[in-house]
Amino acid sequence: KAGVTQTPRYLIKTRGQQVTLSCSPISGHRSVSWYQQTPGQGLQFLFEYFSETQRNKGNFPGRFSGRQFSNSRSEMNVSTLELGDSALYLCASSAVGLAGYNEQFFGPGTRLTVL
Amino acid sequence: GQNIDQPTEMTATEGAIVQINCTYQTSGFNGLFWYQQHAGEAPTFLSYNVLDGLEEKGRFSSFLSRSKGYSYLLLKELQMKDSASYLCAVRDRPPNAGNNRKLIWGLGTSLAVNP
């Protein structure tokens, strides 16, 4: 089985721009979760999508949004980028999702740098 | 509030045993995960505990005490490849939040295994 894939792997943007990140889960997995990872804050949960619906949400501002398509692929969008948005963005897929026990499989991440 | 504490760094010798502790405070508890993350790579699942006690999986074991808000990851027969960051994550299910759940992550413990 192919693993979780994320594109692009690296992005450089400037303040005020917007960005869209993509995640393709493992085949058959219906849940996709997004995380932001920074050295100072560690891994922080953004949101989880399951069967095209946002099921769980972290404490990020509305500039961070996402969606999931019928094939379970997910996109995350960040608008009006700020310097503090520079981070590694990870997505993770699982068969069941956060509601039930099921390990999450992480993608390699997208490294976003905001200048 | 919600908080997860782990030591920032630990050092151990090849062949030895090391215990990485994790204490947590969350509004609801619905399971605890341990993940391993090598530098520049995505986290990979190690273990899951939802009931008190010890879960053993090869060289790795994880222990949970819900009453104490405490878990540890035990690594035996350390190998050089075990040098990595070890992340403790708690699935939080806040009261009055319906089915909303999220994973709260510690900052990770960076383990260096020396020859």
Side-chain angles (χ1 to χ4, degrees):
Chain A
K1 253 187 191 177
V4 179
T5 59
Q6 291 186 246
T7 56
R9 293 294 310 279
Y10 302 92
L11 261 181
I12 299 176
K13 293 284 188 179
T14 56
R15 278 179 296 176
Q17 287 187 306
Q18 76 165 25
V19 67
T20 299
L21 313 181
S22 180
C23 171
S24 292
I26 290 172
S27 177
H29 284 191
R30 296 164 64 188
S31 167
V32 173
S33 295
W34 287 92
Y35 297 89
Q36 181 194 67
Q37 187 174 34
T38 58
Q41 300 291 323
L43 264 169
Q44 294 197 293
F45 173 70
L46 282 154
F47 30 65
E48 182 209 6
Y49 284 86
F50 187 88
S51 294
E52 302 179 66
T53 302
Q54 187 182 88
R55 194 162 64 169
N56 293 293
K57 191 176 187 305
N59 299 323
F60 278 77
R63 299 186 297 108
F64 292 81
S65 63
R67 59 178 175 169
Q68 187 179 33
F69 302 94
S70 58
N71 61 358
S72 293
R73 189 178 70 84
S74 177
E75 287 183 346
M76 190 191 94
N77 186 274
V78 188
S79 62
T80 321
L81 283 167
E82 301 177 0
L83 294 179
D85 297 334
S86 293
L88 179 67
Y89 289 87
L90 292 162
C91 87
S93 80
S94 67
V96 173
L98 293 182
Y101 162 57
N102 218 265
E103 65 182 277
Q104 293 192 309
F105 295 84
F106 283 83
T110 295
R111 173 76 61 186
L112 172 65
T113 302
V114 182
L115 302 175
Chain B
Q2 300 167 327
N3 195 46
I4 296 183
D5 286 317
Q6 335 176 205
T8 304
E9 294 179 338
M10 297 184 72
T11 303
T13 305
E14 198 174 11
I17 298 173
V18 71
Q19 177 174 311
I20 302 174
N21 296 325
C22 171
T23 58
Y24 62 89
Q25 287 178 307
T26 55
S27 51
F29 176 83
N30 196 222
L32 185 145
F33 298 80
W34 283 96
Y35 279 79
Q36 179 192 60
Q37 187 175 26
H38 285 99
E41 298 181 11
T44 54
F45 171 82
L46 289 177
S47 69
Y48 171 75
N49 295 71
V50 67
L51 299 176
D52 290 350
L54 187 69
E55 294 283 340
E56 297 188 77
K57 193 187 284 188
R59 293 190 300 116
F60 294 3
S61 304
S62 57
F63 172 83
L64 174 67
S65 169
R66 289 172 296 170
S67 62
K68 295 181 180 177
Y70 168 69
S71 172
Y72 67 72
L73 180 69
L74 193 71
L75 291 77
K76 304 175 188 174
E77 302 168 15
L78 280 172
Q79 302 175 9
M80 299 294 289
K81 67 177 181 179
D82 297 330
S83 294
S85 182
Y86 290 85
L87 304 167
C88 172
V90 173
R91 183 164 57 200
D92 184 31
R93 185 180 182 180
N96 304 318
N99 287 322
N100 190 38
R101 293 167 178 81
K102 53 186 177 182
L103 277 179
I104 303 166
W105 295 77
L107 293 179
T109 299
S110 180
L111 174 66
V113 179
N114 298 320

